[in-house]
Amino acid sequence: PTAPAAKPAVTATLAAPATTPLAASAPSGGGLVQFGAYGSQASADEAWATLSAKNPALARLSKSVLPAAVGGKTFYRLRANAGSPAAAAALCAKVGNCIVVK
């Protein structure tokens, strides 16, 4: 009797949805932190006001709201430049609910 042949391992890679920037690219020169993606510029601005009121460390940062097309819809990414990747990581650790943009 012969043993059944081993099945090859199957790996799948999920691709992230393609994004198309609709405006100028994000500010460069440091570690960007993204706090969320919203359905409108006004919603993103409102979220920034709430976040910066709860977290005074955010008040000194300049925010940016960048529109991006994802899956046929436009979202507004709320971001701030923390100055460096290390500062961005520290900020996210302190604030929570954000990601460091790479």
Side-chain angles (χ1 to χ4, degrees):
T2 59
K7 293 183 181 179
V10 177
T11 58
T13 303
L14 299 177
T19 60
T20 306
L22 299 177
S25 62
S28 60
L32 290 176
V33 176
Q34 182 167 313
F35 298 97
Y38 300 88
S40 70
Q41 170 89 33
S43 294
D45 289 337
E46 207 172 290
W48 178 258
T50 302
L51 283 168
S52 59
K54 289 180 182 178
N55 301 286
L58 298 179
R60 65 178 173 77
L61 302 178
S62 58
K63 73 163 171 100
S64 62
V65 178
L66 302 169
V70 179
K73 294 182 181 182
T74 300
F75 293 94
Y76 296 83
R77 295 175 175 161
L78 175 57
R79 296 179 172 180
N81 191 334
S84 72
L91 181 65
C92 266
K94 182 178 180 179
V95 173
N97 236 6
C98 59
I99 60 169
V100 176
V101 179
K102 296 182 181 190

